[in-house]
Amino acid sequence: MHSMRSSGWMFAPARKFPLVRPSRALVVAPRASQGCALESGDLVLVAGATGGVGQLVTAKLLERGFRVRAVDRARTNRSGAAQLFRGAAVEVFPADLRDRSTMVGLMQGVAAVCCCTGTTAFPSSRWEGENGPRNTDWVATSNLIDSTPSTIKRFVLVTSVGVERFKEFPFNILNLFGVLKYKRKSELHLQSSGLSYTIIRPGRLTDGPYTSFDLNTLLQATAGNRQDVQLSPRDDQRGEASRIAVAEAVVQTLMLPSTRNHYYSICSTEGEGPGKDTAKWETLFSSCYAPEASMLA
């Protein structure tokens, strides 16, 4: 879950950015079988690439030989993606996901999408420029979903635990400004879109965020003794989730067709964990939807 720091500054009501439903037939993308695993060299669009999870996802994709297109809104009050990823093989695409008119050509050649966008649960400096929960977690995300062609191999969306429990304590407190409600709304929109999707719901995010991109530093990051992960197909988890584990989970789902059209809640626990071992991740993901697990649901 995103940071809950409050700066105490006064803020204006969020602008109602329009939702425009484009035809997917107008978007050109590589032909691909839905749900297929990605191959080295495929182009992956990363939304939220300058955030903590997004930076790690980008680093892990590059490490595995994927190409990355990072969405950059080119905000004047923070470093742009072009500066952040200087020296890395990252294509920067200037677009504001809240505004469909800026997204023309965004999906050209894209094989998969990783949406790691988000904002704070409570008013903070990150809300400046009309970046509250509605615009960030609903308007921008739904525009991205609607602009994604049906031929995409996978759309991975990172949301949060508590999205189905936002009326229950303590999630009702976190949802005072609608962050969990809007994340859940985007989940349902993706689920009904017909796209091949995976939804990752992390607990409260730890280990970061990182303020500058350095491939070696990011790939050598460690969560200490809490490198194991606990997965669930339901929104029934509480606790923390290392950004390192969340980013690894995002990338692993792109390589595992069995994770298609599934939800996974994730928290970190003590232990060695699966690391970058795809076979171990596949076992973890598969156990969530095994027949015996379904019987216990």
Side-chain angles (χ1 to χ4, degrees):
M1 191 169 297
H2 297 284
S3 168
M4 297 171 288
R5 294 175 290 109
S6 175
S7 61
W9 57 280
M10 298 300 291
F11 59 94
R15 175 182 169 190
K16 301 295 185 180
F17 284 89
L19 290 174
V20 181
R21 307 300 185 195
S23 168
R24 291 200 175 95
L26 299 178
V27 183
V28 180
R31 292 188 177 277
S33 301
Q34 278 200 352
C36 289
L38 263 68
E39 301 174 0
S40 181
D42 277 345
L43 178 61
V44 182
L45 177 74
V46 180
T50 58
V53 172
Q55 286 188 51
L56 286 163
V57 167
T58 299
K60 289 174 178 292
L61 288 170
L62 293 174
E63 180 191 31
R64 288 168 169 85
F66 298 113
R67 294 178 295 133
V68 176
R69 177 177 294 161
V71 183
D72 183 14
R73 192 162 42 186
R75 290 176 56 185
T76 57
N77 64 338
R78 67 169 59 182
S79 298
Q83 264 190 316
L84 193 60
F85 302 124
R86 183 176 297 172
V90 177
E91 173 194 346
V92 178
F93 192 103
D96 185 339
L97 299 182
R98 302 168 302 175
D99 184 353
R100 282 284 302 127
S101 67
T102 69
M103 298 169 63
V104 178
L106 177 64
M107 291 293 173
Q108 182 74 39
V110 171
V113 176
C114 296
C115 183
C116 308
T117 56
T119 189
T120 53
F122 300 115
S124 74
S125 60
R126 289 178 62 184
W127 283 29
E128 293 176 3
E130 301 171 345
N131 293 304
R134 180 184 183 275
N135 289 335
T136 301
D137 291 305
W138 167 238
V139 175
T141 305
S142 59
N143 280 343
L144 185 62
I145 293 168
D146 290 338
S147 68
T148 302
S150 59
T151 51
I152 207 79
K153 291 183 179 180
R154 190 69 59 88
F155 190 116
V156 184
L157 175 62
V158 180
T159 60
S160 172
V161 298
V163 289
E164 294 187 57
R165 297 174 284 171
F166 62 79
K167 294 183 180 180
E168 304 173 14
F169 182 83
F171 303 108
N172 58 345
I173 304 299
L174 299 176
N175 191 56
L176 283 175
F177 293 90
V179 65
L180 295 178
K181 178 185 71 174
Y182 291 123
K183 287 181 184 295
R184 177 56 176 161
K185 194 173 181 180
S186 290
E187 286 187 351
L188 293 172
H189 190 58
L190 177 58
Q191 186 176 4
S192 65
S193 68
L195 298 172
S196 175
Y197 70 87
T198 305
I199 294 172
I200 304 293
R201 295 166 165 173
R204 185 173 65 83
L205 294 171
T206 61
D207 297 321
Y210 300 93
T211 56
S212 61
F213 178 91
D214 179 270
L215 186 61
N216 291 328
T217 299
L218 289 175
L219 294 177
Q220 293 171 10
T222 175
N225 294 327
R226 296 173 61 80
Q227 297 190 51
D228 205 356
V229 296
Q230 179 177 302
L231 296 178
S232 172
R234 299 174 295 279
D235 182 23
D236 58 1
Q237 294 211 58
R238 298 172 185 263
E240 301 175 346
S242 165
R243 285 181 172 85
I244 302 164
V246 174
E248 186 65 31
V250 169
V251 175
Q252 290 289 345
T253 63
L254 295 175
M255 301 184 292
L256 294 171
S258 61
T259 61
R260 177 178 182 261
N261 294 352
H262 286 319
Y263 289 77
Y264 299 97
S265 296
I266 180 171
C267 284
S268 295
T269 60
E270 289 193 9
E272 293 185 4
K276 300 175 184 179
D277 191 322
T278 298
K280 291 181 179 179
W281 277 100
E282 183 166 27
T283 298
L284 286 170
F285 285 128
S286 298
S287 66
C288 288
Y289 289 90
E292 56 270 24
S294 300
M295 291 177 64
L296 296 174

